[in-house]
Amino acid sequence: MTQKVAVLGTGKIGEALLSGMIRGGWSPSDLLVTARRPERAAQLREKYGVETVSNAEAAKAADTLILTVKPQDMGTLMDELAPHVPADRLVISGAAGIPTSFFEERLAPNTPVVRVMPNTPALVDEGMSVISAGTHATAEHLAHAEEIFGRVGKTLRVPESQQDACTALSGSGPAYFYFLVEAMTDAGILLGLPRDKAHDLIVQAAIGAAVMLRDSGEHPVKLRENVTSPAGTTINAIRELENHGVRAALIAALEAARDRSRELASGNG
């Protein structure tokens, strides 16, 4: 890889990207990182053999800047970066809710910006990163973003108008499954199982179900019907889920997440 890539604000997702790029063939000498705390910078330098620099130095030296700070910190970062980013740099933002126009208004005219919504399974190379082009980003820029984020899972291109919906489904999505596993584990304890056994049963059921969804090509309704015998245990459980409005609650929850993403985009943090 001849292009230099800088990861700015290297937290968990940033480190996952860094690790994935190195495993995917990037030379550590072509990678730069920034971190708020000196001890964090030293840790990354020692672990990955990459150069740690200031945000301004990264903007001047790297061809691609990946911004992985929290949404509420992005304004401060852009105030620091903007004077140092030439218009030929590719800027990739991984911040939830912040549109590409936020960056385009603060950077030199015609600077290409790509918006990416990753999720935390990127930490185990099973992430989903949703990618959208800003006004000046080309197909080549999108392909470069896919090359980077594809090292830690799957990627999907969508129009930026769909990013808030994707944030609700995919960006926040793992938390819904953790919530469900937590509730099912509690149910297992109520039914008389030790917590560790209930946890192991639910986690393996979740993994198996996910793999079947991914690999079978079957609609989830068909897979559910395969488990649901007439007058059996599963249909009784499904009836209770429907009686308690679980389906409607999930739809309402995702709408709430979508709406919050829109609020972040409008600056109502």
Side-chain angles (χ1 to χ4, degrees):
M1 304 294 174
T2 55
Q3 279 208 339
K4 275 196 178 292
V5 177
V7 181
L8 282 69
T10 313
K12 289 183 178 179
I13 293 291
E15 184 175 357
L17 286 173
L18 181 65
S19 176
M21 283 188 285
I22 291 173
R23 291 194 309 277
W26 267 267
S27 168
S29 63
D30 291 328
L31 298 170
L32 303 172
V33 300
T34 78
R36 181 180 298 178
R37 295 178 290 107
E39 58 269 28
R40 172 64 172 163
Q43 179 189 43
L44 294 166
R45 188 167 56 245
E46 180 177 345
K47 186 173 182 180
Y48 297 103
V50 294
E51 185 179 357
T52 56
V53 296
S54 69
N55 291 326
E57 289 169 334
K60 295 173 185 175
D63 302 288
T64 299
L65 306 174
I66 306 175
L67 314 183
T68 63
V69 302
K70 291 180 173 60
Q72 59 267 32
D73 296 329
M74 196 61 81
T76 300
L77 177 62
M78 289 308 299
D79 289 342
E80 183 180 351
L81 276 184
H84 307 289
V85 181
D88 61 350
R89 299 292 190 261
L90 170 60
V91 176
I92 300 175
S93 165
I98 301 182
T100 54
S101 59
F102 173 90
F103 303 96
E104 291 166 348
E105 291 165 1
R106 289 161 174 78
L107 294 168
N110 302 317
T111 300
V113 179
V114 171
R115 177 177 172 182
V116 182
M117 184 67 247
N119 62 12
T120 55
L123 298 169
V124 292
D125 292 347
E126 290 291 349
M128 173 56 83
S129 298
V130 183
I131 297 175
S132 301
T135 306
H136 311 294
T138 65
E140 183 179 354
H141 293 130
L142 287 173
H144 186 49
E146 288 174 333
E147 183 181 15
I148 293 170
F149 284 83
R151 302 298 179 183
V152 293
K154 294 183 178 294
T155 62
L156 178 70
R157 292 189 195 186
V158 301
E160 189 170 11
S161 61
Q162 295 177 2
Q163 274 281 359
D164 292 322
C166 291
T167 296
L169 265 74
S170 178
S172 300
Y176 314 145
F177 287 97
Y178 301 144
F179 183 87
L180 182 61
V181 168
E182 179 187 2
M184 292 176 73
T185 301
D186 286 344
I189 295 168
L190 179 67
L191 297 174
L193 292 171
R195 177 175 292 277
D196 59 341
K197 287 186 171 59
H199 175 82
D200 289 348
L201 288 168
I202 296 304
V203 169
Q204 187 56 38
I207 292 170
V211 171
M212 290 183 72
L213 278 167
R214 184 190 66 192
D215 296 348
S216 70
E218 296 281 5
H219 193 282
V221 169
K222 175 65 174 174
L223 292 173
R224 179 176 61 77
E225 287 177 346
N226 289 344
V227 188
T228 310
S229 303
T233 59
T234 306
I235 192 61
N236 273 271
I238 296 296
R239 180 186 63 185
E240 288 303 312
L241 291 172
E242 294 290 8
N243 286 343
H244 286 80
V246 171
R247 188 187 304 266
L250 283 170
I251 293 171
L254 268 68
E255 287 182 322
R258 187 268 325 267
D259 293 346
R260 180 56 180 154
S261 183
R262 289 177 175 173
E263 288 176 0
L264 291 170
S266 65
N268 296 323

